[in-house]
Amino acid sequence: MEFKKDIQKIIDYSIHFAETMLLDGKEYYPFAATINNKNELVPISYYEEGNEFPDSQIIIDFLSNNLHNELNNKKIKAFGITSDIKVKSFESEETVDAVMIDIYHLNSNEIPKYFFTYSWNSNDELVFGESFGIKR
């Protein structure tokens, strides 16, 4: 199924970019990636003139609204929005950091939200932990 390849492309790109940003500054603003009608991955970011530190939810809402519009108008085949969140770990009741990728595709309504937990070890190295998906 081709849509699974599109999803994997978005996940691979998003995890790699989030990891790069975390290693660089231990945080990142939400970002997106699309799969266009030529099957190419296109990174998408948000910039607001005069606002160096926008609220993450404003970015997520902006990306979501615009990319849903492009998807509904068949200008793109898929998109994923990646954000840095806190989730409850399945291994314990603690809240942990996670990279969340929320993916939408023209050919599937069954795509879960993907979570990739991470932490920093005693040597200040980034360590990815459990990953899981949760149905919408």
Side-chain angles (χ1 to χ4, degrees):
M1 298 180 158
E2 185 161 323
F3 82 89
K4 288 185 179 183
K5 288 180 185 178
D6 294 339
I7 291 167
Q8 192 60 54
K9 246 190 240 187
I10 290 171
I11 290 171
D12 291 345
Y13 168 79
S14 299
I15 288 296
H16 176 72
F17 188 68
E19 179 179 21
T20 299
M21 297 305 290
L22 287 167
L23 290 171
D24 187 47
K26 292 198 174 182
E27 65 181 352
Y28 61 91
Y29 280 104
F31 62 90
T34 65
I35 302 294
N36 66 20
N37 292 317
K38 295 178 184 177
N39 295 319
E40 301 165 326
L41 185 132
V42 179
I44 307 288
S45 61
Y46 174 91
Y47 175 75
E48 182 180 337
E49 181 110 15
N51 187 1
E52 282 187 51
F53 306 106
D55 182 70
S56 290
Q57 192 58 54
I58 290 171
I59 297 170
I60 292 167
D61 292 344
F62 176 83
L63 292 171
S64 181
N65 290 336
N66 285 309
L67 295 175
H68 274 291
N69 187 43
E70 287 192 22
L71 188 69
N72 292 337
N73 289 317
K74 297 185 169 86
K75 292 181 179 179
I76 58 174
K77 290 175 28 179
F79 73 89
I81 297 174
T82 303
S83 53
D84 194 9
I85 67 163
K86 299 267 190 200
V87 294
K88 274 196 177 179
S89 171
F90 287 122
E91 297 170 352
S92 71
E93 287 297 310
E94 289 183 30
T95 302
V96 296
D97 291 312
V99 174
M100 183 186 75
I101 309 171
D102 193 8
I103 300 175
Y104 294 85
H105 198 286
L106 275 177
N107 298 326
S108 178
N109 293 324
E110 302 291 317
I111 303 169
K113 288 185 180 185
Y114 295 96
F115 299 84
F116 301 85
T117 64
Y118 70 89
S119 60
W120 300 91
N121 69 16
S122 59
N123 294 326
D124 208 28
E125 297 167 324
L126 178 62
V127 178
F128 280 93
E130 65 183 325
S131 59
F132 54 92
I134 297 179
K135 287 181 100 173
R136 299 178 192 283

